[in-house]
Amino acid sequence: MRFRLPLAGLLGLTVLAAGCGSSGGSAADGEVTISYAIWDKNDQPSSEKIIAAFQQANPKVKVKLEITPWEQYWTKLQTAASGGATPDVFWMNSLNVRMYAKGGIIAPVEESKAAGLPGAVVDGYRYDGKLYALPHHVSIPALWYNKQLFEEAGVEPPTADWTWDDVKAAAKKLTDPGKQQFGILAPMLNQVGYYNTMLQAGGQVISPDGKQSGFGDPASVQGLEFWTGLIEEKSAPAAEVYGDTDPIQLFQSGKYGMFYGGIWFASTYWADPQFRERIDVAPLPKGPAKEAVILLGLANAVSAKTEHPKEAAAFAEFIASEQAQKIISDSAGGALSLRPGTQDGWFKAFPSFHLKETYDASMPHGVPYPVSLNTAQWQEAETRLLADAWAGKRPVADAAKEIAVQMNEILAKE
C-alpha cells in the first residue's frame, strides 16, 4: 500500500466534457457490468473475494477488476476523466478527492453509508459540505524497532508512553559508528514522519479552515527540527543515504534501530522470516504538546458519469460494509481494514508484532491527513524547500518560513 502521494497531475483538471461515461454495459437479459479500478496488485486477492461476495448477493451485476500500477494510475485516471470515461468505481485518496469533486468527476455518496467509520479518516473525503468517497482502508504511522539491536545495546524497547526524549536517548545509545549502525532512520517523509511531529509539538500543517499554512508556527518548526536534530547529532544517517535506497529496505538491512513507518509495512517485513523475528512495532511516541497520529484512509469513489449509478454506489457501499471489511482483514494483505471490529484477522496474521496494541493506542489520537484543494501544488514547494533543510544547507526555520509564504499564496487562489 503506497503511502507516498502523487505530487502532480490534477492542477489543470476541469469539469468533465460531455461523454459516454464509464465503460460498463448492460446485457439483453438485464445483466449489468461495472468496472472497478485499483492500483495495488497486493490487494487483488481481497478485491476478487469482495467482488465474488458482492456478485453472489447481486447476481445481475458483474464487476470487472482493473489494476493499474501506482506509477501510471493517476495519469491514466486523469486521461479517462478528461474524456468522460472513468471507471465506475475507483480508488481515491484524500490528496486528490477535492479536485475530482470540484471537477464533477466523482459523485457524492450518502453520508449514512459512512456510519461507524472513524471520523478522522472519513473527514478527509469531504468537500463543500458533502462526502465524496467511502473509505475502506486505514494507514497508521507507527514506530518500528529492531529488538535485537535494542537488546545488544542494553536499551529497553519502546512502550506506549514513550516520548520524544525517549526516542532521542535510545537513538544515541543504539548508534555505533564502528559498526556503521544508526539509532534511527530520519527520511523526509510527511505522513509517517514530520506531519506527526509538527502536530505533536503543538503546531499544524494547515489551519482548520484550510486557508493558512501552519509551517511558520514556531511549534511546527520544532516538529521539523526533531528530525534534523537527529541527523545533526549523528543518531540518524545523512539525508543523501535515502537517495538510492528506500528507507523500508534500509531498515531491513538490520543496521538501524528505529524507523517511523506505516503499520501496513507488516506484510512486507513478515515476508522475511529471519528479519521478522528481530523486529516489532509500537505506537508513535508522544510529543511535548500532545499525542497525534496522522491517519490516511484509502477510499472508493463513484464516477459521476457512470451509466449505472445505482449499481456502482451499491458496490462502493459494500466495500465499506462489515462483511467486505472482514474479507480485507482475513486476506492479511498490505492493508488494514477501517471498520472497527473487523481487523482481528489481520492482527492474527502477524502474531509476533504488537499490531493490535499499536492500533488501539493510535486511533483515539487520529488526525485527518492535512489537505486543501491544491494539496499537490503546495506539497511540491514543501518537499523542494525542506530538502535543503534536511541536507543541512539551510536552517529549518528559514525553509519553513519560505514554505509558509509560498503555501499561503497557493491557498489564497483556491
Side-chain angles (χ1 to χ4, degrees), residues 138-374:
V138 61
S139 301
I140 305 172
L143 178 63
W144 288 94
Y145 63 97
N146 190 311
K147 296 185 295 183
Q148 180 176 325
L149 296 187
F150 270 76
E151 183 177 348
E152 291 173 355
V155 180
E156 290 295 318
T159 63
D161 28 347
W162 256 33
T163 66
W164 286 10
D165 288 340
D166 293 312
V167 174
K168 293 174 183 178
K172 187 174 182 179
K173 292 178 180 178
L174 290 164
T175 298
D176 187 338
K179 296 180 180 179
Q180 295 185 320
Q181 176 179 303
F182 290 89
I184 191 169
L185 285 160
M188 198 181 73
L189 301 176
N190 58 29
Q191 185 209 347
V192 297
Y194 61 84
Y195 280 178
N196 299 280
T197 52
M198 288 171 71
L199 269 62
Q200 290 167 359
Q204 57 186 4
V205 178
I206 190 171
S207 62
D209 62 5
K211 295 181 179 180
Q212 291 290 320
S213 170
F215 277 85
D217 187 325
S220 297
V221 173
Q222 183 183 4
L224 295 167
E225 290 176 338
F226 169 82
W227 297 101
T228 56
L230 289 166
I231 298 173
E232 290 169 3
E233 293 166 8
K234 301 189 184 304
S235 293
E240 55 262 29
V241 168
Y242 312 105
D244 297 325
T245 308
D246 191 296
I248 298 174
Q249 296 175 324
L250 286 173
F251 186 60
Q252 284 180 285
S253 73
K255 292 290 187 179
Y256 303 90
M258 293 176 284
F259 174 35
Y260 277 53
I263 196 174
W264 64 94
F265 295 173
S267 60
T268 297
Y269 292 150
W270 192 261
D272 184 338
Q274 292 185 335
F275 185 64
R276 75 188 185 202
E277 296 302 320
R278 300 200 298 266
I279 65 167
D280 204 346
V281 65
L284 289 188
K286 304 172 185 177
K290 61 181 180 180
E291 294 184 65
V293 181
I294 297 286
L295 300 183
L296 184 64
L298 189 59
N300 289 288
V302 176
S303 170
K305 298 293 184 178
T306 176
E307 296 175 357
H308 308 292
K310 180 179 178 181
E311 291 82 1
F315 181 60
E317 293 161 9
F318 179 75
I319 302 172
S321 71
E322 183 175 350
Q323 180 183 354
Q325 293 279 282
K326 285 183 177 179
I327 291 173
I328 292 172
S329 175
D330 293 344
S331 297
L336 175 60
S337 60
L338 176 63
R339 189 170 292 279
T342 66
Q343 299 97 346
D344 283 350
W346 194 79
F347 296 145
K348 292 176 181 177
F350 316 105
S352 66
F353 296 161
H354 286 77
L355 293 166
K356 186 178 189 309
E357 294 84 350
T358 299
Y359 172 89
D360 289 343
S362 301
M363 291 301 288
H365 306 289
V367 179
Y369 186 89
V371 293
S372 71
L373 185 62
N374 288 319

Side-chain angles (χ1 to χ4, degrees), residues 198 213-218 220-221 224 381 385-386 389 394-409:
M198 288 171 71
S213 170
F215 277 85
D217 187 325
S220 297
V221 173
L224 295 167
L385 294 167
L386 279 182
R394 66 184 303 187
V396 174
D398 289 355
K401 182 178 180 180
E402 189 172 346
I403 291 169
V405 170
Q406 294 191 24
M407 185 172 170
N408 284 331
E409 291 175 354

